[in-house]
Amino acid sequence: MISIVLVACATLATQVSAQCTRDSLKAITAEYLASLAGGKPSFVSPQKTNSLPLLYLENDAPIDIAKGVLSQGIKIDFNRSIYDTTACASYTEIVATTKHSYVIGTRLSVTDGKVTKIDSVVCDDGDWLFNAAGSLRYNQQENWDPIPEAKRNTREVIKAAGDAYIDAWGDKTISPPFDAKCARLEGGSYLTGNCKLNFQPPFVLLNKRYTIDEELGAVDIFHNFPFLDKAIARDPGTQTNNLLRVEGGKIKYIHENTVCQKKSCAK
Ligand SMILES: *[C@@H]1O[C@H](CO)[C@@H](O)[C@H](O)[C@H]1NC(C)=O
């Protein structure tokens, strides 16, 4: 009898953890967005009825969720999300051009239907090339429609394009697969036609965290960037993230959000 119950429980647990659908990620992400707009960090309250703890980070630092951007009530002008049903995570970018303007990139990690980690890169005035009006204008004009099923790239191809883009910064032998019209939205500035970057060695990128969406041809990579910000140690360096749109194996769009520990590290 006991063994039958155990088998039943094990089966149920497998079903629950396997249940990471696009629709469930969309619903959780919509809830996050509504909370961000409404200033209600309590959206994670169901967490309390479940033993899973929630880790909340802004710019790589764990903070009290009640004291972060979720408590403010941010009027969102624009949002875009990608959904990773394999890693069970979503990535969302928002732009707010209000008086205190923001560009925020957030990765939600979901376990058994609950958000277990919220990782946000919170950019505002003084951050790398920050200009919310520019972010809004350029982001809105891009086409991130779902890629027709027959033309979708595999998760591996999309991830490899993302890795090639950021790994080429420290290794000039890597040639990332750029589309001829590749465009890079960095802070609020927009550069088209040349997305290649390369920096003096030694150049090490640490703490990569991926969100990959085959339907949208998207990969987001949270990582650290060395040397930019003199206020902090070179390694691991500055908190940043890069969101890429890959079409037919080629990198079409890149969005970068980078935080300055000391404001205006860019100048
Ligand atoms: C996010 O964007 C969609 C349109 O893409 C919009 O319908 C929705 O209201 C937006 N959500 C928030 C919270 O602004």
Side-chain angles (χ1 to χ4, degrees), residues 30 33-34 37 76-79:
L33 275 171
I76 298 170
D77 291 306
F78 179 78
N79 71 84

